[in-house]
Amino acid sequence: VADTLTVAGRSARMSLVRSRGNRATELRLMALMHEHRITGWRRGVGLLGKPDFVFRARKVAVFVDGCFWHGCPRHGRTPKTRIAFWTAKLARNAQRDRIVTRTLRRSGWRVVRVWECGLSCKRAIRTMARIAGALSRNPRRAH
Ligand SMILES: [Zn+2]
């Protein structure tokens, strides 16, 4: 399929994909949380960085990071065209992620960042354990 797109068209199309709000990935995590009886989350909470799922009572924020946009160590890669553009863009994304995580943690939130690929059948159990683990601890105090 990719071969039918021109290089420019491909880059343009990739630019349109938003880094957050990947519906399929979010639905997958919702299904997994249901399966693992993880409840109490809300979506669309206006918190810094727009976490995908927020457990307000436990002060836990969950982000689902797309492997491409957020530079997953296994699948992150820089496209072969417009290299300078993509290198800068992906570096900015990674930096923003770090700042958001740090800032939320400083105000007492527990932040769980889940890779898109961490939702695969093989890795889902471990990912769900991370979320459950964050929820089982006492809410953090701001420091
Ligand atoms: Zn990945």
Side-chain angles (χ1 to χ4, degrees):
V1 172
D3 292 339
T4 64
L5 289 171
T6 64
V7 165
R10 198 154 59 216
S11 287
R13 206 172 69 156
M14 285 166 93
S15 307
L16 293 174
V17 181
R18 290 186 305 150
S19 61
R20 200 149 293 295
N22 182 326
R23 192 82 184 128
T25 310
E26 288 165 358
L27 288 175
R28 166 85 179 136
L29 181 53
M30 281 163 74
L32 283 168
M33 288 196 293
H34 181 73
E35 193 181 306
H36 290 256
R37 301 200 168 31
I38 295 175
T39 56
W41 49 265
R42 285 186 56 195
R43 294 173 45 71
V45 176
L47 204 59
L48 178 76
K50 300 194 185 78
D52 295 293
F53 299 92
V54 171
F55 300 80
R56 224 189 248 291
R58 310 299 304 176
K59 276 198 108 173
V60 171
V62 176
F63 292 87
V64 190
D65 291 338
C67 294
F68 170 73
W69 291 101
H70 299 267
C72 157
R74 294 175 196 227
H75 310 107
R77 53 169 197 86
T78 307
K80 299 276 180 275
T81 58
R82 302 178 73 203
I83 291 171
F85 167 81
W86 284 111
T87 302
K89 174 153 190 69
L90 297 176
R92 269 199 311 277
N93 286 352
Q95 188 191 29
R96 190 188 312 123
D97 290 345
R98 282 194 299 274
I99 291 169
V100 165
T101 298
R102 194 188 308 141
T103 308
L104 286 174
R105 284 185 176 149
R106 281 186 183 152
S107 35
W109 287 84
R110 221 174 274 288
V111 177
V112 181
R113 283 197 173 269
V114 170
W115 291 115
E116 179 187 357
C117 60
L119 303 178
S120 69
C121 296
K122 217 169 79 181
R123 297 171 61 199
I125 288 179
R126 205 187 318 170
T127 300
M128 290 304 106
R130 283 178 57 214
I131 296 175
L135 290 167
S136 69
R137 281 175 241 144
N138 288 325
R140 297 179 67 237
R141 295 226 179 103
H143 58 88

